[in-house]
Structures are given as C-alpha cells and as structure tokens.
Amino acid sequence: MATILANRHLLGSAPRIVVKVGSSSLTDADGGLAHEALGELVTTLSSAHERGQDVVLVSSGAVAAGIAPLRFTKRPKNVRDQQAAAMVGQAQLMEAYSREFARRGITVAQVLLTPDDVVNRVHYANVLAALRRLLHYGVVPIVNENDAVVTDDLRFGDNDRLAALTAHVVGASALILCTDVDGLYSAPPSRSDAELISTVTDFSELRRYSITGKGSDVGTGGMSSKVRAADIATSGGVGTLLLATADLGKALDGQQVGTWFVPQKARASARALWLKYSAQPAGVLRVDAGASKALQVEGASLLAVGITAVEGEFSAGDLVQVLDATGAGIGRGIVAFAAAEIKRFIGQEPYADERRIAPRAVIHADDFVPLAQ
C-alpha cells in the first residue's frame, strides 16, 4: 500500500481507494435520501470491490437524511437540531447502504469518528487497527463524522478533510472526492469563461483562480474544502481525483474525467497528518528561541523551561498550537498537562527542585508535529 499512484488512468487497479460522496449527491429536492442515486453509487463501488479493490466510503448525508423525517424545511443551523437530524438520518443512511450492498453480497460497517478518536494516541491506534481489520475481512467501512455528539468547537470541519485523513490512515493509493460538479473550474461553472482544470501539480497555481467555499443547501463543504482536502491527501503521497459522482464509474474504467491532483511527496506518517490537520487546537503555547529550535530542528520534546506563555483553557491530552517568539506557528502537539498546571511550570527544568514542579515534558516529541513537516 506504500506506493504512490501518480497516474489517474490506473485508478481502476489501485489496491485501496477511499471514496467520499457529499450530501448533494445523495439527497433529493425535498432533502430526503435519493435512493436511486445511492443505488447507482453502490453499484459502481461494488464493481470495484468485486475486482479486488479495497473500498472505504466516507459518506455525508446523515443530517440531510434527517431533514424530511423531522419536518425541517432546510438544513438546520442550530447545533442541537443538527445533532437530532444526524441521529435520525444516520440510521436511515446506513439502512439504505446495508440493503444495497447486501444485494451484491457485500458486508458494510458503520464507522463514526470524532477528532478525539485520532488526536488521542490510544484511540488513534484503535481506529487504525479497526479499519484495517475490516478491510482484511472484505468489509466496506462507511465512515462519517459523529455529528450526534460533536460540536462546532471540536469537529473535523467537513467530510472532505475527514476523507483525506482517512486515506492516510488506511494506506490508500488514491482518494476520490465525488460531488455535484464535474471537476475544479477556473471560475464558478456558471460563468461563460470558466474552464475545467484537468490536472493540478502545484497548489500555488490555484491562487489566480476564483474558488469559492459555498456548498449546497444540504452539505457543509464547498469547492475550497475539496481543494484543501486534496492538499492534505497529496502532501502525504495520496493522489486525489475530484469529479461528479455520476462520473465515478468512468474514472475507475480509466477515462480522463474530473480534476486530478498529483501526489506531492512520498507517503507521510498518518498520525502526524491527523495531528496536523484533524482538529482545531484548544489553546496556545508560546516558546523561546531555544525551544523552537529543539522542536523543529532537533526533534526534541517541549520542556517547561522553554515555554514563555500559555493561552486558552485546555486539559491534559488536548491538542495545542505552538508559536515561536515572533508569534509564528511552528507546530502542533498533545499536552501532558492542563493549562493551569503549565502556567505553574513555566521556566522550570524537569525535577527543578524537591517539589518536582515540572516532572516531565509538556509535549513529548512523539506527540508533536512541526508545521513544516
């Protein structure tokens, strides 16, 4: 699984793929599940599975599927209403997938994730082991963010990002982002001068184009979120294709459709990418020049002696941002202590006196990811 898939025409023979489908591709005009569209998607994925490809499906649609049963007229903005819709809709979504895949003799499994499942080292190991075991048994995991319990303060943000991170965890050869547009355009597709961008090799080239963040009325992401997801995936060696859901079968048959994002680097550490991209930091640690060098150049742990300030309220095990003396971000890490404790530790060497004020590293090297990585 470690090889980079650099050729879009080989998608149909990629050993393992992650496919993300958005809410707009799975819902009808009334906001309910579009069962015919879901059935067509399952047919395409089943064909890939039957020819030996491992398939992981990251599926939106839970909140959208709950809109009609709860008699909402549109996607709710209130967090509690979103959670209610997710709890109602997730059951309907999984029932539909289970039924359609079962017709083709394929078993599916529901995998609901929150950022804590991947930021926490033990939880992360469990997620990785569980997903890979499911694939070992020929099961199609259906992944979604656990909208029923997450809040705006702690969430992946959108399923495009979740799909990119999942692709790294399972060691996928490629990520396919399915949407209601047939690729990335140089301008909004409604404009007469908009042109389809067939291949992206350098993300800096996209700065001259107008890429919006507006999604559909039933989804949370827009084109900009898909570009960010492609950036996350390709930065770790996973080639990414953005295309219309209806064109998925063509792509797996080797046809040139959609927009192909060429992988940029060799495969990176999956957990490092999760820490770098998976969740919003709960607080900030500012460090001096010595600590900054130790973290970025020497790969050392962050000791209390190098911390100059603590911002925000967070607990042990939370993800925090680390800034250097100039205020520039240098990385992210998992703290071993709560904010109040670290404030007492500032400037202290480990085992500094009999009270052992700073008993160990505030951020262990294994739990820190430089932003430049």
Side-chain angles (χ1 to χ4, degrees), residues 23-37 64-65 67-68 72-75 216-218:
S23 297
S24 60
S25 300
L26 295 175
T27 53
D28 56 28
D30 296 325
L33 274 179
H35 289 276
E36 183 176 350
I67 289 176
F72 294 147
T73 58
K74 59 183 179 180
R75 182 186 179 90
S216 70
D217 290 337
V218 295

Side-chain angles (χ1 to χ4, degrees), residues 119-249:
V119 170
N120 180 286
R121 189 187 306 179
V122 175
H123 291 191
Y124 172 84
N126 289 335
V127 168
L128 186 149
L131 283 170
R132 294 187 176 180
R133 179 58 62 175
L134 289 172
L135 292 170
H136 171 76
Y137 287 120
V139 174
V140 173
I142 300 178
V143 181
N144 196 0
E145 183 163 18
N146 195 344
D147 290 314
V149 299
V150 297
T151 66
D152 288 339
D153 294 329
L154 184 63
R155 62 183 307 125
F156 291 107
D158 55 67
N159 273 353
D160 297 314
R161 176 181 300 200
L162 176 59
L165 296 168
T166 299
H168 288 295
V169 169
V170 300
S173 304
L175 167 66
I176 304 175
L177 300 172
C178 299
T179 184
D180 52 0
V181 182
D182 59 351
L184 178 65
Y185 280 79
S186 59
S190 57
R191 283 175 40 176
S192 60
D193 61 340
E195 297 181 355
L196 178 68
I197 303 170
S198 178
T199 304
V200 175
T201 58
D202 184 352
F203 281 83
S204 64
E205 299 172 356
L206 301 180
R207 295 172 184 166
R208 66 178 186 267
Y209 300 126
S210 175
I211 301 173
T212 69
K214 178 68 173 74
S216 70
D217 290 337
V218 295
T220 58
M223 194 55 67
S224 61
S225 77
K226 290 163 180 57
V227 172
R228 287 194 299 270
D231 191 10
I232 294 170
T234 58
S235 69
V238 179
T240 302
L241 183 65
L242 170 64
L243 79 173
T245 305
D247 290 336
L248 177 59

Side-chain angles (χ1 to χ4, degrees), residues 5-13 251-257 260:
L5 180 70
N7 190 334
R8 70 196 297 172
H9 302 295
L10 299 179
L11 279 173
S13 59
L252 294 176
D253 285 340
Q255 298 183 43
Q256 183 165 314
V257 291
W260 174 248

Side-chain angles (χ1 to χ4, degrees), residues 254-286:
Q255 298 183 43
Q256 183 165 314
V257 291
T259 300
W260 174 248
F261 296 86
V262 178
Q264 303 297 306
K265 300 178 183 177
R267 191 173 297 281
S269 161
R271 183 169 184 264
L273 287 162
W274 280 93
L275 291 177
K276 187 174 179 179
Y277 294 110
S278 66
Q280 291 301 313
V284 171
L285 296 181
R286 294 181 180 271

